[in-house]
Each structure stands twice: as structure tokens, then as C-alpha cells.
Amino acid sequence: MLKTLLSQVKQYKAAALLTPLWTTAEVIMGVLIPYVTASLIDKGINAGSMPEVYKYGGLMLLMACFSTLFGILAARFAAYSSSGLAANLRMAMYENIQSFSFSDIDKYSTAGLVTRMTTDVSNIQNAFQMLLRTSFRAPLNMLFSLFMCFFINGRLSVVFLIAMLVLSTFLYLLIRRASKLFVQIFEKYDSLNGVIQENIDAIRVVKAYVREDHEMSKFDKAALSLYTLNVKAESLMALNHPVMNLVVYGCIISISWFGAHYIVGGTLTTGQLTSLFTYIMTVMTSLMMLSMIFVQLTQSAASGKRIADVIDEEPDMSDPEFILPIPKVEITHL
């Protein structure tokens, strides 16, 4: 499946490869800003030195500009390559569908093919863009932030590791449950599209036999089933934010408590403690982004398989390699 999907990147490979490079540069600039902020507070504000404030303030502004520029370039290349992949996938499916026999069409159903070329391709497009941007940015942000935390104060950074362990365990259990629901949701999309298409194609028959109420009942049943699954999946995913906030606030309280003791003891400065608070949010946000990536990839895996099945499908009937010439018939006028 993965080989079939990636083979459609084709002319957009360069843009796809440049996206992680610009994303890495963006992350490096962003992670260094809180460290410079610590120097701004300690050497500039607390020391009452305006030249140092201008110096580190200007450096932060320059780093922020570069980070923004790198982010814009990464987003542009990601959008270009993901949109191109979606266009190639639709074209590859459409070309193969043209060679399908009637039995192949019946195998997938018209509604199923339409869903694959619209909803499923859109999911793959979003997943590919997220794969190029977020799946690189989140781990790099988390790793670089953790490195900076241990560089500033190794003992205090143990709080980060404990928080990451708690949040990672919760996210794993959450994703494991939600991924099964997303697979079922796509199956319900096919059923709903099938009901809609059947009703529209046979609308004259429906009206002739006064079957509008029956068709409405079928649609309500399919829509209600899809609604129920969506509510379950979204309700599970909604737990991300409150649990993350709980862990983040726990980290802030813990680091504030231990950090105050280190500041009094002279082993930590106010600026360093401030930068640690910034890294807390970066690490926890990166973890939540990773959870969303796993959910998106799990959701898109079902779409990818459905798309690959259509592209790789071998038609039951094929045109003969050699076509016998049609004999010419001369028409004589009587």
C-alpha cells in the first residue's frame, strides 16, 4: 500500500524532501529563543543593563524572523507536494477505473469509488502534509527542548520525563481505542453515499411508487449510525486537552516549587526558570501534536488501503494485445 501511494509523488519529490529541511531549521530557531530570553532577563533586566537588553532583544527578533521565514517555506513546499500527490492519486484511480469491467465496478460500487476519490484522497493529502511538517516538527521540538532543559538544569528536568511518561501512556490508550472507531466511520461513509446515490439515480421510481418515506428512513438510519460513531470518536479525542492541561499545570507547580529552592540556593537563575516554563509548554504541546499525528495516520491508513486497492486492481477483462483488422465491405448501389 505504502509503495503504491508514494509512487504517485512523482514530480513533487523535491518539494517533499525540502519540507523537512526547512522545518528543522524553523525548529532550531524556535527552540533557541527561550534560551536567549533567559540571558535577556539575567544579564539585561535583572542587571539593569539596557545595552544587554537591546543586544539580546535584537537577537531574539532576528531569530524569530528567521523562524517565521523557514516556517513559511516549509508550509509552502508541504502544501505544494501534498496537493500534487492528491491530484496524482485521483488521476491514477480514474485512469484505472476506465479499464474496469462491469464486475469490477460492482465489486467496489459506484458510491465506494466516489468516496475513495474524494474523502479518502483528502485524508491522504492531509496526512501527507502532516507527515512532512508536523511529524518532523513535533519530535524535533520535543527532543531539542528536552536537551535544552537538561543543559540548563539536569535534576529539575526529571519532572519533564515523568510528565512525558504519564501523558504518553494516556495518549497510547486513547489512540488505540479511537483508531478502531475511525476505521468503522469510513465504512459508514460508504453506506451513506450508497443510499444517497441510489435514491438520486432512481428518484423517478421512488416518486412513482411513493417510496419517499421509506427512502428517508434508510437515510436516517445510515446518518444516525455515522453520527453515533463520530460522537464516540470525537468524545475520546476531546479528552486530549483536559488531560494535557492537568499534566502541564502539574509540571508548572512542580518546577516552580523545586525551582524556587534552586534559585535560593544559587544553582538556578530567574531567567533560566522562565525558559524552563517555556520548554514545558513546548514539550507538552509536541506530545499532543504527536498524538494527533498517530490518530490522523491511523485514520488515513484505512483511506490509503482503499485507494491502493483501486490503483492496483487488475481488471477482469482487458483489451487484446492484437486486434484483428475489420474486413472492408464494399457497398454497391443498386
Side-chain angles (χ1 to χ4, degrees):
M1 177 194 74
L2 191 59
K3 182 179 179 181
T4 300
L5 298 178
L6 292 180
S7 66
Q8 298 301 322
V9 178
K10 295 181 180 178
Q11 68 270 36
Y12 304 100
K13 288 182 181 178
L17 293 175
L18 285 173
T19 301
L21 296 179
W22 291 120
T23 301
T24 303
E26 176 193 6
V27 168
I28 292 174
M29 289 292 103
V31 168
L32 289 176
I33 289 177
Y35 185 74
V36 178
T37 303
S39 299
L40 173 67
I41 295 174
D42 295 332
K43 299 179 181 180
I45 297 176
N46 289 344
S49 175
M50 289 306 298
E52 293 295 318
V53 172
Y54 293 142
K55 172 185 174 182
Y56 289 108
L59 181 59
M60 289 175 59
L61 180 61
L62 183 64
M63 293 171 68
C65 291
F66 275 111
S67 179
T68 303
L69 175 63
F70 296 149
I72 292 173
L73 291 172
R76 182 178 178 84
F77 282 113
Y80 177 73
S81 56
S82 61
S83 298
L85 173 63
N88 288 343
L89 287 174
R90 289 191 177 98
M91 181 59 68
M93 280 194 292
Y94 191 78
E95 288 179 353
N96 201 34
I97 289 172
Q98 300 309 303
S99 63
F100 278 9
S101 63
F102 292 129
S103 60
D104 295 322
I105 297 293
D106 294 337
K107 176 181 177 181
Y108 291 100
S109 79
T110 305
L113 291 174
V114 171
T115 304
R116 284 168 167 81
M117 296 190 67
T118 53
T119 304
D120 288 332
V121 171
S122 296
N123 286 333
I124 293 298
Q125 178 181 348
N126 294 332
F128 188 67
Q129 185 170 357
M130 181 178 288
L131 189 67
L132 293 177
R133 283 275 287 151
T134 314
S135 63
F136 276 90
R137 180 174 181 170
L140 288 176
N141 249 331
M142 186 172 62
L143 292 176
F144 288 165
S145 296
L146 281 174
F147 172 79
M148 295 303 297
C149 289
F150 279 96
F151 180 76
I152 293 173
N153 192 299
R155 289 177 295 177
L156 196 58
S157 299
V158 176
V159 176
F160 286 86
L161 297 180
I162 297 174
M164 286 179 59
L165 180 62
V166 173
L167 191 57
S168 299
T169 302
F170 169 78
L171 292 177
Y172 169 76
L173 297 175
L174 181 67
I175 293 169
R176 186 177 178 181
R177 173 59 180 160
S179 61
K180 297 179 181 178
L181 292 174
F182 282 119
V183 173
Q184 299 176 30
I185 285 173
F186 282 108
E187 296 175 355
K188 297 300 180 184
Y189 269 121
D190 281 348
S191 300
L192 184 65
N193 288 338
V195 171
I196 296 172
Q197 183 180 358
E198 181 182 356
N199 180 265
I200 294 175
D201 290 343
I203 189 64
R204 289 181 174 83
V205 178
V206 171
K207 289 185 175 296
Y209 288 92
V210 195
R211 301 287 289 175
E212 291 90 344
D213 292 339
H214 174 72
E215 293 299 323
M216 284 295 298
S217 177
K218 286 172 56 179
F219 179 82
D220 288 342
K221 183 178 179 181
L224 180 61
S225 179
L226 181 61
Y227 162 78
T228 303
L229 287 174
N230 271 312
V231 169
K232 288 182 180 179
E234 295 300 331
S235 297
L236 281 175
M237 297 310 301
L239 295 175
N240 255 344
H241 293 284
V243 173
M244 178 188 170
N245 289 336
L246 180 63
V247 175
V248 168
Y249 293 144
C251 281
I252 292 176
I253 293 173
S254 300
I255 290 179
S256 298
W257 174 263
F258 293 111
H261 288 77
Y262 289 143
I263 289 176
V264 172
T267 57
L268 188 71
T269 65
T270 305
Q272 289 175 334
L273 182 61
T274 303
S275 64
L276 284 175
F277 286 143
T278 304
Y279 288 130
I280 288 176
M281 297 303 301
T282 302
V283 171
M284 296 306 161
T285 302
S286 298
L287 272 177
M288 191 177 72
M289 290 171 65
L290 282 175
S291 71
M292 299 303 297
I293 291 172
F294 288 131
V295 172
Q296 179 70 34
L297 292 180
T298 303
Q299 181 180 0
S300 301
S303 296
K305 184 179 184 305
R306 289 154 56 88
I307 293 172
D309 287 343
V310 176
I311 296 176
D312 296 334
E313 180 69 25
E314 294 291 337
D316 291 342
M317 300 177 62
S318 58
D319 295 332
E321 186 175 355
F322 299 101
I323 302 177
L324 294 176
I326 300 175
K328 295 182 179 180
V329 179
E330 294 184 2
I331 302 176
T332 57
H333 296 281
L334 295 177

